[in-house]
Amino acid sequence: MVYESVPRTVRIILLGEPGVGKTSLILSLVTEEFTEQVPPKAEEITIPADVTPEQVPTNIIDVCLAEQSLEQVAEEIEKAHVICIVFSVDKQETLNKVASYWLPFVRDNCPDDYRKPVILVGNKIDLIDYSVIDNIWDIAEEYPEVDRCIECSAKTLTNVSEMFYNAQKAVLHPIGPIYSIEEQELTERCKKALSRIFKICDLDGDGLLDDYEITIFQKKCFDSPLQLQVLDEVKSVIAQNIAGGIENECITMKGFIFLHCLFIQRGKNETTWTVLRKFGYDESLELTHNYLYANIKVPIGCTAELSYKGQQFLTQIFEKYDRDKDGMLNPTELKNVFSCCPRIPWHNLRYTVPTNDKGFLTLHGWMCRWTLMTLLDLQNTSAYFAYMGFNFLENESQKTAIHITREKKVDLAKKQSSRNVYQCHVIGPRSCGKTSICRSFLGIAHKKIKPHANERGDGYNTESCCINTVLVYGQEKYLVLKEIPITRVSDPLQPHEVNCDVACLVYDVSASRSFEYIARIYIKYFAESHIPVLIVGTKGEAMIARQEYILQPDVFCNKYQILPPQFFNIKENKQDIFVKLATMAAFPSIKIAMPRRLGGLGIKCMNFAAAGS
């Protein structure tokens, strides 16, 4: 069943047989007294928001079959948000018509995928001394759209205002999405939503809500503290009604879900809906788009990074789910982290971020992975922060978890980058050792790896990236290595494959035609750009071959005033080239050959290797 979003105005229509008191109920509500002389039909009445409990304007429409055609009544049903079907408790035939005529008529005039809530109203209880509620519920079992049944009296004003208030609630806090009347139980969607809410509020991750956690939950959902006596009463009710609802004087998830079931059974739908909406749910119990995706714009030339608040939140999440406190997330713990989410957002961890020998995420690797995701997929980062409760715990939108860097052209003008995350594209012909360099960055160079896919996609694919930290003059920076796959040397590079903070052009020193490719790449794409370039020769342990190119690598680098080729030996697994790459990204205006000094900074190029020491 599909549920519509909460309307800004509630439109209530009253249906029923002639003489059951529809018009009298409306007039009694408005005048707060009973009128003997009742017109056949009341005019449409609008009740201002400030005099309704839910603070929503309400329109009340009376229906008179003597003055309106069935087509006109059907049109009113289509426009209404909730239907009140009124019968007279002292006339059984009017109750019979509810089931035999009015409920089928309403259903026939509602869309198949959306059944509007119905309130069954037994009027004139001043004429009898017994209740007909049991008979009404027999009817309601056949029609799930029946939200509730209420007995009232227009003459004595008994439950008149309550009737219209319940009609409002049926629209603003619908029972259908959260509770199954047939099964007398919460819906599975509601249970799933409440389970996520419980996990978010369980700050220490012990599977229990203690008094402090309940107090935080209460204040953030209802803007008021929960008195200790009331809390004790709540726990007592849970303990008396459901086994396992209370453990160690704390509320379990079982008890938390039962409590909301009890609220709904007692007609307190608004309590559960207040909680659900606070955590981002709409009327279909889906997280809203606005809740998941903060309106964060990244201007051209800027990038997205985690702010201090975002890093702090992620650290808290890691520590919460690292139950054995061993400083890493094993597969079970990682699965628990994302139990509030649709899925684990990552596939390959081992070849993307630093892990331990078993492939488990350390805190360092955890922060690396989120840093990479924020850089390359900000929308997904925003959504997963929402899934994990950032909006609730920080009481702010995900915008505060993200820092947007200044434009790159400003960095160039100031001759120094303000960023903490640098993107390095690793470019070179096939089989030249690009993958070995990337794996070496993660400390897994000696492990057998799968060959890289040959497809070249549009934009970034996080599975072809790896990220780690390096020290640049004592400051920790994140460096992202993005391997650019090359199928044919004749294929041109796409703009997104060129644009980066620093480029690492790789060739195989043992292959005589290897350097020619990156030399041509440099001249075509980088010679006139502001992107610093480091040329790296791989397989340094092999016999160095003379390159079949007009210039040898060292002469080429000298001509274009870039650092001479750096040699990479997979067996040595040295990290100095990564420090050089990060340092060049940090000072993007520097494009000068050794041993000249770098601009006015007084920093020698050969000091790059010491930048991380």
Side-chain angles (χ1 to χ4, degrees), residues 179-232:
Y179 188 79
S180 169
I181 294 176
E182 300 97 316
E183 299 176 8
Q184 297 288 293
E185 184 60 272
L186 297 179
T187 63
E188 289 304 314
R189 278 181 175 267
C190 186
K191 289 179 183 178
K192 182 179 178 181
L194 291 174
S195 295
R196 167 180 168 263
I197 292 169
F198 180 93
K199 291 173 184 176
I200 290 172
C201 296
D202 178 16
L203 302 180
D204 57 9
D206 65 351
L208 303 170
L209 294 185
D210 58 28
D211 289 358
Y212 172 75
E213 292 165 337
I214 295 168
T215 300
I216 296 296
F217 165 80
Q218 174 73 17
K219 288 177 68 175
K220 292 201 173 186
C221 284
F222 303 100
D223 298 321
S224 63
L226 191 64
Q227 299 298 321
L228 185 59
Q229 181 180 350
V230 175
L231 179 55
D232 289 340

Side-chain angles (χ1 to χ4, degrees), residues 3 27 54 150 169 197 213 408 410 467 482 495 591:
Y3 298 94
L27 297 178
E54 295 292 341
I150 188 168
K169 288 207 305 181
I197 292 169
E213 292 165 337
K408 193 171 183 179
V410 178
I467 181 172
K482 164 73 174 178
K591 282 180 60 178

Side-chain angles (χ1 to χ4, degrees), residues 222-252:
F222 303 100
D223 298 321
S224 63
L226 191 64
Q227 299 298 321
L228 185 59
Q229 181 180 350
V230 175
L231 179 55
D232 289 340
E233 291 173 357
V234 168
K235 291 180 184 178
S236 178
V237 169
I238 295 173
Q240 292 172 15
N241 286 276
I242 185 165
I246 300 292
E247 287 183 14
N248 300 324
E249 298 298 317
C250 300
I251 298 177
T252 65

Side-chain angles (χ1 to χ4, degrees), residues 199-200 205 317 320-323 329-341 344 366 388:
K199 291 173 184 176
I200 290 172
I317 292 292
K320 171 180 175 178
Y321 286 97
D322 179 18
R323 299 303 300 163
L329 297 177
N330 61 44
T332 299
E333 291 169 337
L334 188 65
K335 182 179 179 181
N336 290 338
V337 169
F338 296 110
S339 62
C340 297
C341 311
I344 296 178
W366 166 261
M388 295 188 297

Side-chain angles (χ1 to χ4, degrees), residues 42-59:
E43 296 299 321
E44 180 175 330
I45 291 172
T46 299
I47 301 175
D50 57 359
V51 297
T52 64
E54 295 292 341
Q55 298 294 297
V56 175
T58 302
N59 296 330

Side-chain angles (χ1 to χ4, degrees), residues 31 37 73 83 106 121 133 167 187 192 200 269 278 288 293 296 341 415 436-437 453 486 503 518 523 554 582 587 600:
T31 64
Q37 300 298 321
V73 175
I83 295 97
V106 168
V121 182
I133 286 292
T187 63
K192 182 179 178 181
I200 290 172
N269 302 13
K278 187 70 177 181
T288 65
Y293 304 105
I296 307 173
C341 311
K415 299 183 179 180
S436 295
I437 290 176
I486 302 298
I518 64 168
I523 293 170
D554 55 340
F587 301 98

